[in-house]
mmCIF file of all heavy atoms in Angstrom:
data_model
loop_
_atom_site.group_PDB
_atom_site.id
_atom_site.type_symbol
_atom_site.label_atom_id
_atom_site.label_comp_id
_atom_site.label_asym_id
_atom_site.label_seq_id
_atom_site.Cartn_x
_atom_site.Cartn_y
_atom_site.Cartn_z
ATOM 1 N N ALA A 249 -33.213 -53.503 -8.296
ATOM 2 C CA ALA A 249 -33.623 -52.137 -7.979
ATOM 3 C C ALA A 249 -34.926 -52.065 -7.187
ATOM 4 O O ALA A 249 -35.158 -51.109 -6.465
ATOM 5 C CB ALA A 249 -33.776 -51.353 -9.269
ATOM 6 N N PRO A 252 -35.879 -52.435 -1.651
ATOM 7 C CA PRO A 252 -35.291 -51.295 -0.955
ATOM 8 C C PRO A 252 -34.038 -51.707 -0.202
ATOM 9 O O PRO A 252 -33.924 -52.834 0.246
ATOM 10 C CB PRO A 252 -36.385 -50.851 0.017
ATOM 11 C CG PRO A 252 -37.274 -52.029 0.182
ATOM 12 C CD PRO A 252 -37.167 -52.818 -1.081
ATOM 13 N N LEU A 261 -33.837 -44.265 8.999
ATOM 14 C CA LEU A 261 -35.071 -44.190 9.765
ATOM 15 C C LEU A 261 -34.785 -43.829 11.213
ATOM 16 O O LEU A 261 -35.417 -42.952 11.793
ATOM 17 C CB LEU A 261 -35.724 -45.565 9.710
ATOM 18 C CG LEU A 261 -37.229 -45.557 9.845
ATOM 19 C CD1 LEU A 261 -37.822 -44.852 8.638
ATOM 20 C CD2 LEU A 261 -37.714 -46.989 9.916
ATOM 21 N N ASP A 334 -68.287 -41.346 39.243
ATOM 22 C CA ASP A 334 -67.951 -42.505 40.076
ATOM 23 C C ASP A 334 -66.674 -42.241 40.885
ATOM 24 O O ASP A 334 -65.585 -42.642 40.510
ATOM 25 C CB ASP A 334 -67.777 -43.729 39.168
ATOM 26 C CG ASP A 334 -67.777 -45.017 39.965
ATOM 27 O OD1 ASP A 334 -67.655 -44.958 41.205
ATOM 28 O OD2 ASP A 334 -67.886 -46.088 39.347
ATOM 29 N N ALA A 340 -60.203 -45.432 43.999
ATOM 30 C CA ALA A 340 -59.555 -46.737 44.131
ATOM 31 C C ALA A 340 -58.359 -46.846 43.205
ATOM 32 O O ALA A 340 -57.306 -47.357 43.591
ATOM 33 C CB ALA A 340 -60.567 -47.841 43.843
ATOM 34 N N LEU A 344 -53.709 -46.550 43.907
ATOM 35 C CA LEU A 344 -52.765 -47.610 43.515
ATOM 36 C C LEU A 344 -51.346 -47.071 43.407
ATOM 37 O O LEU A 344 -50.387 -47.819 43.504
ATOM 38 C CB LEU A 344 -53.168 -48.220 42.170
ATOM 39 C CG LEU A 344 -54.419 -49.088 42.149
ATOM 40 C CD1 LEU A 344 -54.675 -49.597 40.749
ATOM 41 C CD2 LEU A 344 -54.290 -50.259 43.101
ATOM 42 N N SER A 363 -53.834 -53.078 52.257
ATOM 43 C CA SER A 363 -53.136 -52.731 51.023
ATOM 44 C C SER A 363 -52.230 -51.528 51.220
ATOM 45 O O SER A 363 -51.754 -50.963 50.241
ATOM 46 C CB SER A 363 -54.128 -52.406 49.911
ATOM 47 O OG SER A 363 -55.176 -53.296 49.911
ATOM 48 N N LYS A 438 -101.284 -39.665 40.859
ATOM 49 C CA LYS A 438 -100.255 -38.656 40.599
ATOM 50 C C LYS A 438 -99.059 -38.781 41.532
ATOM 51 O O LYS A 438 -97.942 -38.416 41.187
ATOM 52 C CB LYS A 438 -100.861 -37.246 40.784
ATOM 53 C CG LYS A 438 -101.783 -36.832 39.646
ATOM 54 C CD LYS A 438 -101.015 -36.029 38.617
ATOM 55 C CE LYS A 438 -101.643 -36.077 37.243
ATOM 56 N NZ LYS A 438 -102.864 -35.325 37.123
ATOM 57 N N ASN A 446 -84.076 -45.695 42.779
ATOM 58 C CA ASN A 446 -84.555 -46.313 41.536
ATOM 59 C C ASN A 446 -84.307 -47.809 41.479
ATOM 60 O O ASN A 446 -84.843 -48.503 40.628
ATOM 61 C CB ASN A 446 -83.891 -45.625 40.344
ATOM 62 C CG ASN A 446 -84.469 -44.241 40.113
ATOM 63 O OD1 ASN A 446 -85.676 -44.034 40.272
ATOM 64 N ND2 ASN A 446 -83.609 -43.290 39.789
ATOM 65 N N TYR A 489 -91.748 -53.038 47.920
ATOM 66 C CA TYR A 489 -91.487 -52.862 46.487
ATOM 67 C C TYR A 489 -92.665 -53.357 45.651
ATOM 68 O O TYR A 489 -93.072 -52.720 44.676
ATOM 69 C CB TYR A 489 -90.205 -53.619 46.109
ATOM 70 C CG TYR A 489 -89.943 -53.705 44.629
ATOM 71 C CD1 TYR A 489 -89.392 -52.631 43.936
ATOM 72 C CD2 TYR A 489 -90.267 -54.870 43.915
ATOM 73 C CE1 TYR A 489 -89.157 -52.714 42.577
ATOM 74 C CE2 TYR A 489 -90.029 -54.952 42.557
ATOM 75 C CZ TYR A 489 -89.480 -53.879 41.890
ATOM 76 O OH TYR A 489 -89.254 -53.958 40.545
ATOM 77 N N LEU A 496 -90.488 -45.460 41.049
ATOM 78 C CA LEU A 496 -89.332 -46.055 40.360
ATOM 79 C C LEU A 496 -89.035 -45.260 39.095
ATOM 80 O O LEU A 496 -89.936 -44.640 38.531
ATOM 81 C CB LEU A 496 -89.634 -47.507 39.985
ATOM 82 C CG LEU A 496 -89.800 -48.482 41.148
ATOM 83 C CD1 LEU A 496 -90.398 -49.781 40.646
ATOM 84 C CD2 LEU A 496 -88.481 -48.734 41.844
ATOM 85 N N GLY A 497 -87.806 -45.296 38.660
ATOM 86 C CA GLY A 497 -87.455 -44.654 37.388
ATOM 87 C C GLY A 497 -87.517 -43.140 37.437
ATOM 88 O O GLY A 497 -87.795 -42.495 36.430
ATOM 89 N N LYS A 634 -66.358 -55.803 48.793
ATOM 90 C CA LYS A 634 -66.768 -57.069 48.186
ATOM 91 C C LYS A 634 -67.957 -57.667 48.946
ATOM 92 O O LYS A 634 -68.893 -58.193 48.346
ATOM 93 C CB LYS A 634 -65.597 -58.059 48.190
ATOM 94 C CG LYS A 634 -65.805 -59.229 47.254
ATOM 95 C CD LYS A 634 -64.514 -59.980 47.018
ATOM 96 C CE LYS A 634 -64.584 -60.774 45.730
ATOM 97 N NZ LYS A 634 -63.293 -61.244 45.290
ATOM 98 N N THR A 637 -71.005 -55.719 48.048
ATOM 99 C CA THR A 637 -71.574 -56.079 46.751
ATOM 100 C C THR A 637 -72.400 -57.354 46.853
ATOM 101 O O THR A 637 -73.487 -57.451 46.287
ATOM 102 C CB THR A 637 -70.449 -56.265 45.717
ATOM 103 O OG1 THR A 637 -69.657 -55.078 45.710
ATOM 104 C CG2 THR A 637 -71.002 -56.492 44.335
ATOM 105 N N ASP A 641 -76.315 -57.655 46.016
ATOM 106 C CA ASP A 641 -76.887 -58.622 45.067
ATOM 107 C C ASP A 641 -78.014 -59.410 45.735
ATOM 108 O O ASP A 641 -79.050 -59.676 45.127
ATOM 109 C CB ASP A 641 -75.801 -59.586 44.583
ATOM 110 C CG ASP A 641 -74.866 -58.933 43.566
ATOM 111 O OD1 ASP A 641 -75.186 -57.828 43.099
ATOM 112 O OD2 ASP A 641 -73.821 -59.533 43.251
ATOM 113 N N THR A 644 -81.042 -57.187 45.833
ATOM 114 C CA THR A 644 -81.687 -57.059 44.523
ATOM 115 C C THR A 644 -82.545 -58.289 44.224
ATOM 116 O O THR A 644 -83.682 -58.177 43.770
ATOM 117 C CB THR A 644 -80.622 -56.894 43.425
ATOM 118 O OG1 THR A 644 -79.796 -55.793 43.758
ATOM 119 C CG2 THR A 644 -81.259 -56.636 42.078
ATOM 120 N N ASN A 645 -81.965 -59.466 44.496
ATOM 121 C CA ASN A 645 -82.713 -60.688 44.203
ATOM 122 C C ASN A 645 -83.959 -60.815 45.066
ATOM 123 O O ASN A 645 -85.010 -61.258 44.602
ATOM 124 C CB ASN A 645 -81.822 -61.921 44.400
ATOM 125 C CG ASN A 645 -80.770 -62.020 43.309
ATOM 126 O OD1 ASN A 645 -80.891 -61.365 42.278
ATOM 127 N ND2 ASN A 645 -79.748 -62.810 43.542
ATOM 128 N N LYS A 648 -86.364 -57.187 44.276
ATOM 129 C CA LYS A 648 -86.927 -57.024 42.935
ATOM 130 C C LYS A 648 -87.459 -58.312 42.346
ATOM 131 O O LYS A 648 -88.464 -58.322 41.667
ATOM 132 C CB LYS A 648 -85.859 -56.446 42.010
ATOM 133 C CG LYS A 648 -85.766 -54.952 42.115
ATOM 134 C CD LYS A 648 -85.011 -54.420 40.935
ATOM 135 C CE LYS A 648 -85.402 -52.987 40.682
ATOM 136 N NZ LYS A 648 -84.585 -52.394 39.638
ATOM 137 N N ARG A 670 -60.133 -64.735 54.103
ATOM 138 C CA ARG A 670 -58.994 -64.129 53.415
ATOM 139 C C ARG A 670 -58.350 -63.043 54.287
ATOM 140 O O ARG A 670 -57.133 -62.918 54.341
ATOM 141 C CB ARG A 670 -59.454 -63.519 52.087
ATOM 142 C CG ARG A 670 -58.348 -62.874 51.271
ATOM 143 C CD ARG A 670 -58.853 -62.400 49.919
ATOM 144 N NE ARG A 670 -59.673 -61.205 50.005
ATOM 145 C CZ ARG A 670 -59.183 -59.960 50.048
ATOM 146 N NH1 ARG A 670 -57.882 -59.767 50.021
ATOM 147 N NH2 ARG A 670 -59.989 -58.924 50.123
ATOM 148 N N ARG B 139 -34.965 -43.358 -6.848
ATOM 149 C CA ARG B 139 -35.909 -44.401 -6.486
ATOM 150 C C ARG B 139 -35.590 -44.952 -5.089
ATOM 151 O O ARG B 139 -36.464 -45.157 -4.260
ATOM 152 C CB ARG B 139 -35.884 -45.515 -7.521
ATOM 153 C CG ARG B 139 -37.154 -46.336 -7.517
ATOM 154 C CD ARG B 139 -37.088 -47.439 -8.528
ATOM 155 N NE ARG B 139 -36.812 -46.953 -9.879
ATOM 156 C CZ ARG B 139 -36.051 -47.608 -10.757
ATOM 157 N NH1 ARG B 139 -35.499 -48.761 -10.425
ATOM 158 N NH2 ARG B 139 -35.828 -47.127 -11.954
ATOM 159 N N ILE B 143 -37.924 -44.982 -2.035
ATOM 160 C CA ILE B 143 -38.369 -46.133 -1.252
ATOM 161 C C ILE B 143 -38.077 -45.922 0.225
ATOM 162 O O ILE B 143 -38.910 -46.157 1.086
ATOM 163 C CB ILE B 143 -37.702 -47.409 -1.776
ATOM 164 C CG1 ILE B 143 -38.318 -47.758 -3.143
ATOM 165 C CG2 ILE B 143 -37.921 -48.560 -0.829
ATOM 166 C CD1 ILE B 143 -37.513 -48.731 -3.921
ATOM 167 N N TRP B 151 -43.668 -45.414 8.475
ATOM 168 C CA TRP B 151 -43.527 -45.459 9.932
ATOM 169 C C TRP B 151 -44.040 -44.204 10.606
ATOM 170 O O TRP B 151 -44.566 -44.261 11.715
ATOM 171 C CB TRP B 151 -42.066 -45.706 10.312
ATOM 172 C CG TRP B 151 -41.721 -47.157 10.114
ATOM 173 C CD1 TRP B 151 -40.903 -47.676 9.163
ATOM 174 C CD2 TRP B 151 -42.224 -48.257 10.873
ATOM 175 N NE1 TRP B 151 -40.868 -49.043 9.273
ATOM 176 C CE2 TRP B 151 -41.668 -49.425 10.317
ATOM 177 C CE3 TRP B 151 -43.102 -48.363 11.956
ATOM 178 C CZ2 TRP B 151 -41.954 -50.695 10.810
ATOM 179 C CZ3 TRP B 151 -43.382 -49.629 12.450
ATOM 180 C CH2 TRP B 151 -42.805 -50.776 11.875
ATOM 181 N N TYR B 181 -55.422 -57.665 45.124
ATOM 182 C CA TYR B 181 -56.387 -56.702 45.645
ATOM 183 C C TYR B 181 -55.691 -55.356 45.814
ATOM 184 O O TYR B 181 -54.635 -55.278 46.447
ATOM 185 C CB TYR B 181 -56.931 -57.148 47.004
ATOM 186 C CG TYR B 181 -57.945 -58.250 46.891
ATOM 187 C CD1 TYR B 181 -57.554 -59.581 46.957
ATOM 188 C CD2 TYR B 181 -59.294 -57.962 46.701
ATOM 189 C CE1 TYR B 181 -58.488 -60.604 46.850
ATOM 190 C CE2 TYR B 181 -60.225 -58.976 46.583
ATOM 191 C CZ TYR B 181 -59.817 -60.290 46.661
ATOM 192 O OH TYR B 181 -60.736 -61.292 46.545
ATOM 193 N N ASN B 182 -56.282 -54.322 45.246
ATOM 194 C CA ASN B 182 -55.757 -52.963 45.424
ATOM 195 C C ASN B 182 -54.319 -52.803 44.972
ATOM 196 O O ASN B 182 -53.601 -51.955 45.488
ATOM 197 C CB ASN B 182 -55.855 -52.526 46.883
ATOM 198 C CG ASN B 182 -57.282 -52.278 47.297
ATOM 199 O OD1 ASN B 182 -58.021 -51.592 46.595
ATOM 200 N ND2 ASN B 182 -57.684 -52.849 48.400
ATOM 201 N N ASN B 203 -72.437 -65.162 39.339
ATOM 202 C CA ASN B 203 -72.639 -63.818 38.794
ATOM 203 C C ASN B 203 -71.991 -63.657 37.422
ATOM 204 O O ASN B 203 -72.553 -63.055 36.518
ATOM 205 C CB ASN B 203 -72.062 -62.768 39.741
ATOM 206 C CG ASN B 203 -72.995 -62.471 40.872
ATOM 207 O OD1 ASN B 203 -74.206 -62.395 40.696
ATOM 208 N ND2 ASN B 203 -72.438 -62.339 42.069
ATOM 209 N N GLY B 269 -89.318 -43.109 34.554
ATOM 210 C CA GLY B 269 -90.493 -43.836 35.026
ATOM 211 C C GLY B 269 -91.631 -42.944 35.509
ATOM 212 O O GLY B 269 -92.679 -43.439 35.926
ATOM 213 N N ARG B 271 -94.439 -39.547 35.305
ATOM 214 C CA ARG B 271 -95.506 -39.256 34.335
ATOM 215 C C ARG B 271 -95.070 -38.329 33.219
ATOM 216 O O ARG B 271 -95.648 -38.324 32.153
ATOM 217 C CB ARG B 271 -96.741 -38.693 35.050
ATOM 218 C CG ARG B 271 -96.462 -37.420 35.838
ATOM 219 C CD ARG B 271 -97.712 -36.858 36.500
ATOM 220 N NE ARG B 271 -97.396 -35.604 37.177
ATOM 221 C CZ ARG B 271 -97.042 -35.517 38.451
ATOM 222 N NH1 ARG B 271 -96.974 -36.611 39.189
ATOM 223 N NH2 ARG B 271 -96.763 -34.349 38.994
ATOM 224 N N ALA B 288 -92.301 -47.992 34.978
ATOM 225 C CA ALA B 288 -90.927 -47.679 35.364
ATOM 226 C C ALA B 288 -90.017 -48.528 34.487
ATOM 227 O O ALA B 288 -89.597 -49.614 34.858
ATOM 228 C CB ALA B 288 -90.705 -47.984 36.827
ATOM 229 N N SER B 291 -86.670 -49.876 35.870
ATOM 230 C CA SER B 291 -86.635 -50.473 37.207
ATOM 231 C C SER B 291 -87.538 -51.689 37.341
ATOM 232 O O SER B 291 -87.621 -52.277 38.403
ATOM 233 C CB SER B 291 -87.050 -49.446 38.252
ATOM 234 O OG SER B 291 -86.230 -48.307 38.180
ATOM 235 N N VAL B 293 -88.551 -55.457 36.763
ATOM 236 C CA VAL B 293 -87.927 -56.713 36.330
ATOM 237 C C VAL B 293 -88.944 -57.738 35.861
ATOM 238 O O VAL B 293 -88.602 -58.680 35.153
ATOM 239 C CB VAL B 293 -87.052 -57.329 37.441
ATOM 240 C CG1 VAL B 293 -85.795 -56.521 37.623
ATOM 241 C CG2 VAL B 293 -87.804 -57.458 38.740
ATOM 242 N N TYR B 376 -74.320 -49.658 31.647
ATOM 243 C CA TYR B 376 -73.781 -48.946 32.805
ATOM 244 C C TYR B 376 -74.541 -47.654 33.053
ATOM 245 O O TYR B 376 -74.844 -47.307 34.189
ATOM 246 C CB TYR B 376 -72.296 -48.667 32.571
ATOM 247 C CG TYR B 376 -71.590 -48.074 33.755
ATOM 248 C CD1 TYR B 376 -71.239 -48.872 34.845
ATOM 249 C CD2 TYR B 376 -71.274 -46.724 33.797
ATOM 250 C CE1 TYR B 376 -70.593 -48.338 35.934
ATOM 251 C CE2 TYR B 376 -70.615 -46.183 34.893
ATOM 252 C CZ TYR B 376 -70.276 -46.987 35.956
ATOM 253 O OH TYR B 376 -69.643 -46.453 37.044
ATOM 254 N N ASN B 383 -77.424 -56.945 39.243
ATOM 255 C CA ASN B 383 -77.089 -58.330 38.912
ATOM 256 C C ASN B 383 -78.058 -59.009 37.958
ATOM 257 O O ASN B 383 -77.754 -60.062 37.437
ATOM 258 C CB ASN B 383 -76.917 -59.157 40.188
ATOM 259 C CG ASN B 383 -78.198 -59.227 40.987
ATOM 260 O OD1 ASN B 383 -79.150 -58.505 40.679
ATOM 261 N ND2 ASN B 383 -78.247 -60.075 41.981
ATOM 262 N N TYR B 384 -79.236 -58.405 37.687
ATOM 263 C CA TYR B 384 -80.156 -59.102 36.786
ATOM 264 C C TYR B 384 -79.903 -58.736 35.327
ATOM 265 O O TYR B 384 -80.388 -59.401 34.432
ATOM 266 C CB TYR B 384 -81.628 -58.849 37.162
ATOM 267 C CG TYR B 384 -82.009 -57.396 37.312
ATOM 268 C CD1 TYR B 384 -82.368 -56.658 36.209
ATOM 269 C CD2 TYR B 384 -81.992 -56.784 38.556
ATOM 270 C CE1 TYR B 384 -82.700 -55.327 36.342
ATOM 271 C CE2 TYR B 384 -82.329 -55.452 38.694
ATOM 272 C CZ TYR B 384 -82.682 -54.722 37.581
ATOM 273 O OH TYR B 384 -83.008 -53.401 37.710
ATOM 274 N N ARG B 386 -76.497 -57.400 33.846
ATOM 275 C CA ARG B 386 -75.195 -56.791 33.598
ATOM 276 C C ARG B 386 -74.418 -57.702 32.674
ATOM 277 O O ARG B 386 -74.237 -58.884 32.942
ATOM 278 C CB ARG B 386 -74.450 -56.488 34.885
ATOM 279 C CG ARG B 386 -74.043 -57.669 35.705
ATOM 280 C CD ARG B 386 -73.367 -57.237 37.008
ATOM 281 N NE ARG B 386 -73.466 -58.313 37.979
ATOM 282 C CZ ARG B 386 -73.482 -58.141 39.286
ATOM 283 N NH1 ARG B 386 -73.433 -56.944 39.799
ATOM 284 N NH2 ARG B 386 -73.566 -59.172 40.092
ATOM 285 N N TYR B 393 -65.871 -54.801 35.226
ATOM 286 C CA TYR B 393 -65.544 -53.439 35.655
ATOM 287 C C TYR B 393 -65.828 -53.300 37.148
ATOM 288 O O TYR B 393 -65.022 -52.774 37.905
ATOM 289 C CB TYR B 393 -66.376 -52.434 34.845
ATOM 290 C CG TYR B 393 -66.279 -51.005 35.341
ATOM 291 C CD1 TYR B 393 -65.244 -50.192 34.919
ATOM 292 C CD2 TYR B 393 -67.218 -50.490 36.225
ATOM 293 C CE1 TYR B 393 -65.145 -48.887 35.369
ATOM 294 C CE2 TYR B 393 -67.122 -49.184 36.686
ATOM 295 C CZ TYR B 393 -66.086 -48.393 36.252
ATOM 296 O OH TYR B 393 -65.992 -47.102 36.702
ATOM 297 N N ILE B 400 -64.020 -52.407 44.688
ATOM 298 C CA ILE B 400 -63.500 -53.712 45.118
ATOM 299 C C ILE B 400 -62.031 -53.880 44.729
ATOM 300 O O ILE B 400 -61.228 -54.403 45.500
ATOM 301 C CB ILE B 400 -64.341 -54.867 44.523
ATOM 302 C CG1 ILE B 400 -65.776 -54.779 45.040
ATOM 303 C CG2 ILE B 400 -63.733 -56.216 44.880
ATOM 304 C CD1 ILE B 400 -66.669 -55.888 44.557
ATOM 305 N N GLN B 401 -61.652 -53.418 43.534
ATOM 306 C CA GLN B 401 -60.248 -53.468 43.086
ATOM 307 C C GLN B 401 -59.644 -54.858 43.184
ATOM 308 O O GLN B 401 -58.542 -55.037 43.681
ATOM 309 C CB GLN B 401 -59.405 -52.468 43.878
ATOM 310 C CG GLN B 401 -59.664 -51.028 43.514
ATOM 311 C CD GLN B 401 -59.006 -50.596 42.217
ATOM 312 O OE1 GLN B 401 -57.880 -50.961 41.926
ATOM 313 N NE2 GLN B 401 -59.711 -49.837 41.410
ATOM 314 N N ASP B 402 -60.412 -55.867 42.738
ATOM 315 C CA ASP B 402 -59.901 -57.234 42.727
ATOM 316 C C ASP B 402 -59.383 -57.499 41.311
ATOM 317 O O ASP B 402 -60.073 -58.064 40.476
ATOM 318 C CB ASP B 402 -61.048 -58.185 43.095
ATOM 319 C CG ASP B 402 -60.609 -59.624 43.108
ATOM 320 O OD1 ASP B 402 -59.437 -59.904 42.765
ATOM 321 O OD2 ASP B 402 -61.436 -60.483 43.461
#
Side-chain angles (χ1 to χ4, degrees):
Chain A
L261 208 65
D334 194 347
L344 289 180
S363 318
K438 286 266 156 72
N446 287 322
Y489 171 80
L496 293 167
K634 196 166 202 166
T637 306
D641 284 349
T644 305
N645 289 344
K648 277 196 155 174
R670 181 175 74 84
Chain B
R139 202 181 304 143
I143 289 164
W151 283 110
Y181 284 92
N182 289 312
N203 279 320
R271 59 178 183 268
S291 303
V293 288
Y376 186 76
N383 63 350
Y384 52 85
R386 65 183 158 208
Y393 171 85
I400 297 182
Q401 288 282 320
D402 180 356

